[in-house]
Amino acid sequence: MPDRDIPILNDETDYSTWKKKVAIWKIGTSATPKQQASKLIMNMSGKPQEVSINLPIDALGAEDGVNKLIAELDKLYQKNFDDPLQFIDILNSNDLAAIQQGYVLQCEMKLLLFETQMAQVASLLRYDSRSPTISAALHFALMNYRTGLISKDV
């Protein structure tokens, strides 16, 4: 593949499409694996290029330089589901994969909180010998209220 076929990445490019094009380009390019990351960077502009040119030269010139480049760019394009405005943009974009990723992330966060609080309840049961049943029930109710896993009206 000639250099003119190198995938272009800029602030307006769809990142997931660019990654697919890079995978195809890597198959057909005559550039060696050690040259590929530098060729991709020279066909970037804007924020992607700013992030990419700050990577160590030896990492970019390695056999897996493209993988290291993409790993760094993934951080740039990672969707932030904690930011309400960005989350609304994701929902409005009809990007089903991103919406599913956000839902799974929210569920994993609630599960982690639930497991942490269950561990706290278990430790209270072990150490509160005076009234373990009442103590556990109160902490369990508080845990459910905080996590929202069970309705607050129950």
Side-chain angles (χ1 to χ4, degrees):
M1 256 180 213
D3 282 352
R4 70 176 187 279
D5 293 332
I6 299 171
I8 296 170
L9 182 62
N10 56 43
D11 294 328
E12 287 79 40
T13 306
D14 178 63
Y15 181 63
S16 60
T17 301
W18 178 82
K19 281 175 50 171
K20 291 174 188 174
K21 288 180 179 181
V22 168
I24 295 166
W25 173 78
K26 284 174 62 177
I27 295 168
T29 186
S30 59
T32 67
K34 291 183 175 188
Q35 297 171 328
Q36 291 174 358
S38 65
K39 289 189 176 284
L40 289 168
I41 292 171
M42 299 315 293
N43 279 281
M44 293 179 187
S45 62
K47 191 68 174 168
Q49 189 179 54
E50 289 175 30
V51 169
S52 300
I53 61 174
N54 287 314
L55 291 169
I57 301 297
D58 58 331
L60 295 171
E63 290 287 328
D64 63 342
V66 172
N67 294 338
K68 292 176 181 174
L69 173 65
I70 288 177
E72 194 65 28
L73 289 170
D74 282 347
K75 294 175 191 174
L76 173 65
Y77 286 95
Q78 181 179 6
K79 294 176 174 37
N80 182 3
F81 295 103
D82 294 331
D83 178 6
L85 294 177
Q86 188 172 7
F87 189 68
I88 290 169
D89 288 342
I90 293 166
L91 292 174
N92 289 334
S93 72
N94 294 324
D95 183 353
L96 185 58
I99 294 169
Q100 288 171 338
Q101 180 186 0
Y103 180 74
V104 168
L105 182 63
Q106 293 294 329
C107 289
E108 287 173 347
M109 288 173 28
K110 282 191 175 189
L111 178 62
L112 180 62
L113 179 60
F114 178 78
E115 289 171 344
T116 302
Q117 291 175 340
M118 284 301 293
Q120 291 172 347
V121 168
S123 70
L124 288 172
L125 281 173
R126 283 192 294 263
Y127 296 113
D128 191 354
S129 59
R130 293 169 291 158
S131 58
T133 306
I134 294 172
S135 177
L138 289 173
H139 287 286
F140 187 74
L142 179 60
M143 175 191 60
N144 286 332
Y145 180 80
R146 286 183 180 163
T147 61
L149 292 174
I150 297 178
S151 172
K152 294 177 176 95
D153 299 328
V154 174

